[in-house]
Amino acid sequence: MTDILFLAHRIPYPPNKGDKIRSFHLLRALAGQCRVHLGAFVDAAEDWQYSERLKEWCADVKLVPLGRAARVWRALRGLATGAPLSTCIYRCAELDAWVAAKLRAEKISAIVMFSAATAQYVGPERSAARRTIVDFVDVDSDKWRQYAEQAAWPLSWLYRREARTLLRYEQAVAAAVDASVFVSDAEAQHFRALAPASAARIFSSRNGVDASYFDSGVELPNPFGASERVIVFSGAMDYRANVDAVLWFTQSILPRVRARVPDVRFCIVGSRPARPVQRLAAVPGVMVTGQVPDVRPYLAHARVAVAPLRTARGVQNKVLEALAMNCQVVSTSAAARGLDDAQVPGLTLADSEEDFAAAVLAHLEPSVRQAGAGRQYVLSRYDWGTNLAGFLALTFGE
């Protein structure tokens, strides 16, 4: 059986947030066709309990801790160099030694790198005679460019530096590997324009949704009051773009909605809420759950899901999961940019505060959900098996 080395910047289990959802399904798809040797970082203490579970799909597993102190120290050291901080944070002698030993001991035929930061472990001498595929997922350098445009000095300077240095690194990685993969056609096309010399080796592989799990037909307990009209936002609440999204919605859009519907409730569902998010719990009509065992009841019983992200790249799983649950979604154009269709059933786009509030209000009135055209769209376009077939073909050189 073919042996594959799979490197990830974060443990690909459990599949409970954007990058881990994609990396887990990719890992599982690879494990169905070959022996997988996994090397990954663990940045959350609660994730160590899953090391044994990963052996269900992997021949062996190497997990390396990456705490907050280590991230800050490596980033500060990186400022003295011309390297992007995103790669400095994931520079680790222990993982590098494990990769070297693994490549000597095993007949590894291909190396899959999940996120560009892991490509630093695969130089020319290690990639010789092996297929090399990097899943960039998104054009991360452009995300930092967007952050720089929104931030005040000195953060604007820091983010601009990261955008510039990370783009150079992304271009160098793309030039060195056999294939670069992005989460959508739009992301791939954007990067082809940034790295034209590698354009012929840049591909896209869409995300998927586990539609048997995110199924509106499954009976789920109502976490709200029986008559409550609820707006829901779901996502990792320590992620900068998500924090900005709920702050903007609470401060600028929710008051417009509450002026018309005073009893409406805005429910923020997601793990590790940052301090500014925690403070929103004191705002009338706002509920901050923290981590929940199952997000589906919140989607199943909300009137509308929102994705008010002002900075976004790639595909937002929160949008696809809500649509799969037959929940109407109001989203900014930025959050929906990764979808390959201009018109998506069940999805309303709005960018101004006034338009966003009006779109949310339109979905608060009906007592019965609209027909599940959004779910049918997800079923037809976002099946993991179908969408990862191309990635597997790239991995095995087919």
Side-chain angles (χ1 to χ4, degrees), residues 9-46:
H9 72 296
R10 184 177 288 118
I11 179 174
Y13 197 85
N16 57 1
K17 62 187 296 183
D19 64 280
K20 292 170 73 173
I21 293 171
R22 182 175 173 90
S23 61
F24 167 71
H25 284 280
L26 177 55
L27 171 68
R28 189 169 66 172
L30 289 167
Q33 299 195 24
C34 59
R35 282 164 38 92
V36 177
H37 305 266
L38 171 67
F41 290 91
V42 178
D43 60 4
E46 61 269 21

Side-chain angles (χ1 to χ4, degrees), residues 220-236:
L220 296 163
N222 189 349
F224 315 118
S227 61
E228 279 192 296
R229 288 183 281 188
V230 178
I231 306 161
V232 68
F233 177 94
S234 62

Side-chain angles (χ1 to χ4, degrees), residues 3 25 84 92 124 167 255 285 287 290 326 345 362 372:
D3 284 64
H25 284 280
C92 173
L167 176 58
M287 172 186 181
N326 195 22

Side-chain angles (χ1 to χ4, degrees), residues 68-223:
R68 177 175 173 79
R71 294 197 299 269
V72 172
W73 172 241
R74 291 173 188 174
L76 289 174
R77 289 176 60 190
L79 278 175
T81 72
L85 305 188
S86 301
T87 61
C88 295
I89 287 171
Y90 294 99
R91 191 166 295 157
C92 173
E94 182 181 351
L95 184 61
D96 186 68
W98 179 82
V99 170
K102 184 60 57 179
L103 293 176
R104 286 194 302 268
E106 305 286 350
K107 293 183 178 179
I108 303 293
S109 62
I111 305 173
V112 175
M113 295 154 274
F114 189 84
S115 92
T118 62
Q120 63 190 298
Y121 296 101
V122 186
E125 72 287 351
R126 292 181 177 178
S127 61
R130 298 182 175 97
R131 293 281 297 173
T132 51
I133 300 91
V134 60
D135 190 351
F136 284 93
V137 187
D138 309 322
V139 184
D140 261 3
S141 57
D142 198 71
K143 175 189 68 179
W144 291 104
R145 179 191 61 78
Q146 293 179 57
Y147 287 161
E149 291 175 350
Q150 298 171 7
W153 193 90
L155 287 179
S156 60
W157 171 84
L158 183 65
Y159 296 161
R160 200 169 291 113
R161 175 197 182 278
E162 187 67 8
R164 182 178 63 254
T165 57
L166 186 55
L167 176 58
R168 287 201 298 262
Y169 175 80
E170 289 169 338
Q171 291 167 329
V173 169
V177 298
D178 293 303
S180 299
V181 183
F182 291 85
V183 74
S184 69
D185 293 343
E187 286 293 291
Q189 190 57 37
H190 179 60
F191 192 67
R192 288 187 191 107
L194 296 172
S198 304
R201 302 191 309 281
I202 296 172
F203 307 89
S204 65
S205 179
R206 291 194 196 102
N207 270 3
V209 175
D210 185 348
S212 63
Y213 182 76
F214 289 97
D215 185 353
S216 58
V218 175
E219 187 173 342
L220 296 163
N222 189 349

